[in-house]
Amino acid sequence: MAILVDGQFSYQQLQQFYQRTQRRQANEQADALAYECLTMSIHNVSAIDSMKVIENPYPIVRSAIVAWYYATYYAAKAMLAASSGTDPQTHASAGKVWQAEIVGAGLVMAPFDLCITGITPNNVRQVMSTLRAGNAHYLNTEPTNEDMARGALYSYLKGTAEYEQWRIEEMVKDSREYKQGGFNSFRSDAAKALRDVKLNPAHVNYLVQAFRYRGKANYRDAIYLSYGRDDTERLRQFVSDLAAVAGAFSLMAAHYAAKRVVRNDWAEFVTDLEEYAKFELPFDLGEI
């Protein structure tokens, strides 16, 4: 992600991307929510920026991942507030609404726009074949250029889709319909149909992937971030990459929100934040 956002999220590029975004009808409550969520996102970006200067990254790397996630989560919620004023209360519902209102409407810049809607095995295979278009790079090799980076992103997208498939299949196996059908797998057409009713409307997008990654960092992969061989230099680069990606996503959300809220109120929000924020702002909101 850090490779692919590098040089792609300038103020000029973002302004051009959102130049046709129309200002919505005044909604004071929705605007206040957008400002609140955007402030939370920016605060988390600032937190990661402050971690970059810490010489030993091991004590803070998991905290950096969590800050990266919440910078992402609150930036997405800021976009939803600016879009329709909706305020999803769970991570899953936020991902679902963000897909419908933001991703599906073409309001997300690449590479944050990658998604799959309809995660049946056949559809996932078809989407991945189209996305890859011959790209043979995967997650098992550290990327050093954009082509390799895209291949790694495609791999994680596919992996998350397969994880969501498994999670939904487990829910279907516990359902009354599955048990009454006497199924023990999804090999039969009837069992597949029962499963695909749940898989067809399901989706995977950047927000869903971010939530999965945060969970893996906190639980499954925690031991690798605190124990064993010395990966200090790689972790320093990793924390720097987290900051770059979170900063790009948060800046994107700020540009979108600025186009949707009451025009003069945006300037007042920026002035207030610049005067009273007790943390270093990671980018210049006044340029938006």
Side-chain angles (χ1 to χ4, degrees):
M1 294 298 295
I3 289 172
L4 293 174
V5 303
D6 184 32
Q8 302 301 313
F9 283 75
S10 69
Y11 290 90
Q12 183 179 2
Q13 289 165 320
L14 285 163
Q15 287 166 357
Q16 184 176 0
F17 185 80
Y18 289 115
Q19 64 180 342
R20 295 184 180 179
T21 300
Q22 297 182 351
R23 202 168 299 280
R24 61 158 161 71
Q25 189 175 9
N27 185 330
E28 183 176 338
Q29 184 176 1
D31 285 1
L33 179 61
Y35 296 141
E36 175 188 340
C37 292
L38 193 57
T39 301
M40 295 283 282
S41 176
I42 293 169
H43 191 185
N44 278 287
V45 176
S46 181
I48 313 172
D49 281 343
S50 70
M51 295 179 195
K52 292 191 298 183
V53 301
I54 297 174
E55 186 173 351
N56 180 8
Y58 274 97
I60 55 88
V61 63
R62 287 176 65 199
S63 297
I65 294 171
V66 173
W68 162 83
Y69 172 72
Y70 280 104
T72 303
Y73 175 68
Y74 280 108
K77 287 196 65 170
M79 295 181 78
L80 290 175
S83 170
S84 65
T86 187
D87 184 17
Q89 296 300 302
T90 67
H91 300 275
S93 60
K96 183 177 182 179
V97 181
W98 196 65
Q99 177 70 32
E101 291 193 14
I102 307 297
V103 182
L107 296 171
V108 184
M109 280 185 64
F112 299 117
D113 61 335
L114 282 178
C115 67
I116 302 176
T117 300
I119 60 171
T120 60
N122 284 338
N123 192 52
V124 170
R125 280 192 293 270
Q126 292 174 8
V127 171
M128 294 312 305
S129 177
T130 301
L131 283 175
R132 283 200 173 276
N135 185 311
H137 298 291
Y138 295 88
L139 282 168
N140 55 345
T141 302
E142 184 176 349
T144 57
N145 57 50
E146 291 188 0
D147 195 45
M148 294 176 71
R150 288 191 185 91
L153 258 63
Y154 299 152
S155 291
Y156 203 78
L157 181 69
K158 180 176 181 288
T160 306
E162 290 174 345
Y163 170 77
E164 288 296 306
Q165 286 174 5
W166 169 81
R167 188 181 63 80
I168 291 173
E169 285 177 351
E170 291 302 301
M171 293 172 58
V172 171
K173 288 177 181 178
D174 284 336
S175 69
R176 182 179 60 185
E177 293 83 359
Y178 184 89
K179 293 175 180 177
Q180 288 180 343
F183 305 120
N184 54 23
S185 72
F186 293 107
R187 294 178 182 175
S188 70
D189 290 342
K192 286 179 182 177
L194 193 64
R195 177 199 65 186
D196 291 354
V197 166
K198 300 295 184 181
L199 293 180
N200 273 318
H203 65 275
V204 172
N205 56 36
Y206 181 66
L207 200 54
V208 173
Q209 293 182 88
F211 183 60
R212 177 187 177 218
Y213 192 82
R214 188 212 70 168
K216 288 169 65 180
N218 267 337
Y219 306 110
R220 196 194 76 176
D221 294 345
I223 189 68
Y224 304 111
L225 297 171
S226 60
Y227 183 86
R229 72 183 186 188
D230 186 359
D231 280 322
T232 298
E233 292 304 318
R234 296 186 73 194
L235 286 186
R236 284 177 182 157
Q237 182 63 54
F238 178 56
V239 173
S240 178
D241 290 344
L242 288 171
V245 175
F249 192 85
S250 186
L251 185 61
M252 179 186 73
H255 274 79
Y256 175 72
K259 295 286 287 186
R260 296 286 289 169
V261 299
V262 173
R263 188 187 303 273
N264 293 336
D265 285 359
W266 174 261
E268 292 182 10
F269 164 68
V270 172
T271 299
D272 182 78
L273 201 58
E274 289 176 341
E275 182 175 357
Y276 293 107
K278 299 303 182 184
F279 57 91
E280 185 173 351
L281 299 179
F283 39 76
D284 188 355
L285 291 166
E287 289 294 316
I288 298 176

